[in-house]
């Protein structure tokens, strides 16, 4: 099969790999209907994370072609969506809604889903079948649910976005934009997107942003304070992962408010004394997308949300390298790869 | 009047100060029935915080002797309990339950309540009157509510201690012990106190600890994992404020669990990447004790809790220096000062 391999930072190639096979009796094999490039794939692309001839991709939707002997609920022919962590969905951690830290969690990045086929471990726990074969125009939205929507949704839930709340979103990448959509769906009163890119501002407004703040850092925090009677926002979504963005998020939050952070932390150290006196809630990490998948699929299936609009460039898998370049150069927010 | 002044680290004296007077029309003056020394008073005593001829003390109970013209609900003669932050209890932050970050908050440490009298700003918002004059044996418990009980209670609430939960308490000082009591009152199933001092272990058991762990750091975390099926605790109370104790608390928490931290952070930097992948909730800071005071006073008044037992040394105000020494040398857990 064809698959995306990152040989080294900046060096993405599409090559032949062995087709995956059932390894554990709880595995399923899927033929991908679509895959995509994640903002987090840019960390190794830019040399911030180690990479060495690594199969890429952890987002996926597709049709089941084979299941192991122990797979009970997922069937060949099902159209399925899964999260970027495989999980058994039965352990105490999963049952508490934290499937991304399942005691048997398998990171799908170790599998590589920017490919024609993928092996999905713990298929019964990991995969959620759609009610039937989706119309083609629903595929981008279902693919978004696999990570970028599920992650933005988790961030909004972690930030306790809801009725009567003012929600700030730090980061105008795909996850931030999905955080805007999630905050709107959760009933937030006011949604302030922090963005200085006209195209992303426009998309943020489409997804539900009521205000745009272009300033960053201290100036951005000052502007949020101005917009919130000097207090800061009730809920802040952090979707970048740098020291500056974490501090911007925390400082934009009122005492007692909630920061939901999902940007993968890179060289971040949170100053204890400032965090202490800020008196905010902090919750974040790798999103337990599996918790939200049934609800997200239902919202997509009945066309009440259209997160697939976050994909602004679609390329054949064979042109993945151009997709990485386009995201790295910010010519694209999120790239969908077709098989 | 007589009042405690810390001239410099380690140098505590009891001296004459001017009696306080009404400054703002929202002030009240109280005659202290009791005051006490806080674990946080040891930070300047040990040279970790700046101190220079500073009036000490921020915990207090007493009888109102005078009120300003704008004071409406608090009356001369009331027996009152207040928090270590004065608060208006009407701003948006107060109404959300975060009175320690009231937009008009006044730290009572700037007033100094280790004295015969004290001026209480924002009296209507800050003070809670007891149902009548308390029996003398209730005074230590009411004084505990002013900070150490209220702080331990907040930590337990922030850690979401409750039915079915395993709660770990890091720190066996007065706040940690009050955290044990709070966790019990909130219905926790199992309460693990981390302590290596026999006397404090005994008190922790009296307050509701079901298990004691003597190990610290990585060994302590390993022991907590052993006791919780490898997962970590649902709820962890951090009541120390050092890097080691914060990491111990975070690492002892299961994914999706809650850390409630109330130890005043000193030289703490939380590693972003580890926090991210831990996927825990972090909430803490200066406790909004005022939120809990009516409930805590009711529980003390009907004698369903006896937090005053945390005071294991009672001294006349005049002997405050000996009280500081006793706490510094860990001969006493918490020292009550009588006028």
């Amino acid at each position: 099969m064809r698959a995306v391999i990152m040989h080294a930072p900046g060096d993405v190639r599409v090559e032949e790999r062995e087709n995956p096979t059932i390894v554990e009796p709880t595995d399923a094999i899927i033929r991908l209907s679509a895959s995509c490039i994640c903002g987090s794939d840019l960390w190794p692309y830019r040399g911030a994370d180690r990479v060495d001839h690594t199969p890429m991709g952890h987002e996926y939707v597709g049709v089941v072609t084979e299941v192991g002997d122990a797979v009970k609920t997922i069937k060949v022919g099902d159209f399925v969506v899964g999260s970027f962590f495989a999980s058994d969905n039965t352990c105490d951690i999963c049952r508490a809604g934290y499937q991304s830290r399942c005691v048997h969690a398998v990171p799908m990045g170790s599998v590589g889903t920017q490919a024609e086929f993928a092996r999905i471990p713990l298929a019964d726990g990991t995969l959620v079948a759609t009610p039937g074969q989706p119309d083609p125009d629903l595929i981008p939205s279902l693919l978004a649910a696999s990570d970028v929507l599920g992650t933005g949704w988790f961030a909004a839930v972690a930030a306790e976005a809801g009725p009567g709340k003012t929600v700030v979103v730090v980061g105008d990448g795909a996850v931030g934009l999905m955080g805007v959509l999630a905050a709107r769906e959760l009933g937030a009163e006011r949604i302030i997107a922090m963005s200085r890119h006209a195209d992303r501002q426009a998309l943020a407004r489409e997804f539900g942003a009521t205000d745009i703040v272009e300033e960053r850092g201290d100036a951005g925090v000052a502007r949020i304070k101005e917009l919130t009677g000097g207090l800061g926002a009730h809920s802040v979504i952090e979707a970048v992962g740098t020291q500056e963005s974490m501090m911007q998020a925390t400082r934009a939050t009122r005492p007692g408010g909630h920061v939901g952070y999902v940007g993968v932390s890179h060289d971040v150290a949170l100053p204890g004394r400032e965090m202490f006196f800020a008196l905010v809630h902090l919750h974040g990490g790798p999103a337990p997308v599996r918790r939200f998948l049934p609800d997200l699929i239902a919202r997509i299936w009945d066309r009440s949300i259209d997160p697939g609009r976050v994909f602004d460039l679609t390329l054949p898998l064979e042109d993945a390298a151009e997709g990485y370049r386009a995201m790295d150069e910010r010519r694209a927010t999120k790239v969908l790869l077709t098989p």
Side-chain angles (χ1 to χ4, degrees), chain A:
Chain A
M1 69 171 184
R2 303 294 286 172
V4 176
I5 311 287
M6 194 181 291
H7 282 237
D11 182 4
V12 169
R13 307 188 199 175
V14 180
E15 302 180 344
E16 277 299 311
R17 275 181 74 195
E18 287 288 307
N19 273 30
T21 55
I22 299 289
V23 177
E24 302 287 340
T26 47
D27 288 347
I29 306 295
I30 66 167
R31 176 195 295 272
L32 282 117
S33 302
S35 182
C36 54
I37 304 171
C38 184
S40 71
D41 293 333
L42 296 181
W43 292 111
Y45 189 80
R46 291 168 176 166
D49 284 348
R50 241 183 74 82
V51 63
D52 180 15
H53 297 80
T54 309
M56 296 300 294
H58 50 261
E59 300 154 282
Y60 54 99
V61 290
V63 177
V64 177
T65 58
E66 194 182 351
V67 296
D69 291 342
V71 175
K72 292 191 169 63
T73 59
I74 295 296
K75 292 175 184 54
V76 170
D78 282 350
F79 189 94
V80 291
V81 187
S83 158
F84 55 93
F85 271 103
S87 55
D88 63 25
N89 213 28
T90 57
C91 75
D92 280 355
I93 303 299
C94 281
R95 283 188 288 138
Y98 285 88
Q99 291 92 339
S100 47
R101 287 293 310 276
C102 169
V103 299
H104 298 116
V106 181
M108 291 301 297
S110 70
V111 167
T113 62
Q114 291 165 8
E116 291 181 273
F117 292 88
R119 181 178 73 87
I120 313 296
L122 303 165
D124 281 335
T126 304
L127 297 172
V128 179
T130 56
Q133 297 301 311
D135 292 336
D137 69 316
L138 286 183
I139 287 180
S141 288
L142 291 167
L143 177 60
S146 178
D147 179 351
V148 75
L149 172 62
T151 295
W153 202 276
F154 169 60
V157 168
E160 300 213 345
K165 300 285 186 77
T166 293
V167 180
V168 165
V169 181
V170 178
D172 63 359
V175 170
L177 292 167
M178 294 291 97
V180 169
L181 180 152
R184 182 196 68 195
E185 290 293 304
L186 294 167
E189 184 172 304
R190 190 176 191 185
I191 303 168
I192 306 172
M194 304 192 82
S195 170
R196 48 178 59 178
H197 300 90
D199 53 337
R200 296 178 183 208
Q201 292 175 2
L203 204 46
R205 287 201 186 271
E206 276 188 60
F207 283 137
T210 56
D211 301 78
I212 303 287
V213 166
E214 296 209 341
E215 294 89 341
R216 283 190 193 171
D218 291 347
V221 171
R223 187 79 188 102
I224 297 299
K225 291 276 175 74
E226 257 180 58
L227 292 170
T228 54
L231 302 178
H234 302 94
S235 302
V236 179
I237 291 171
E238 191 284 338
V240 183
T242 62
Q243 184 74 23
E244 185 190 8
S245 64
M246 278 298 285
M247 297 318 297
Q248 186 175 319
T250 306
R251 291 171 182 162
T253 309
R254 68 179 57 194
H258 293 76
V259 179
Y261 65 102
V262 292
V264 183
S265 292
H266 279 74
D267 298 322
V268 171
L270 302 175
R273 199 171 183 89
E274 178 170 348
M275 291 294 138
F276 183 83
F277 287 102
L279 203 50
V280 300
H281 300 75
L282 279 181
H283 183 42
V289 172
R290 178 63 182 80
R291 189 204 307 177
F292 307 109
L293 275 182
D295 177 41
L296 299 180
I297 290 172
R299 290 173 192 256
I300 292 165
W301 203 261
D302 73 10
R303 296 177 183 274
S304 71
I305 58 173
D306 187 7
R309 279 188 299 142
V310 78
F311 293 105
D312 53 359
L313 181 60
T314 296
L315 293 171
L317 181 66
E318 211 57 37
D319 296 344
E322 165 55 16
Y324 277 80
R325 275 193 300 274
M327 279 180 61
D328 179 45
E329 294 163 12
R330 296 181 78 92
R331 287 184 280 115
T333 302
K334 181 95 179 153
V335 175
L336 185 142
L337 300 173
T338 55

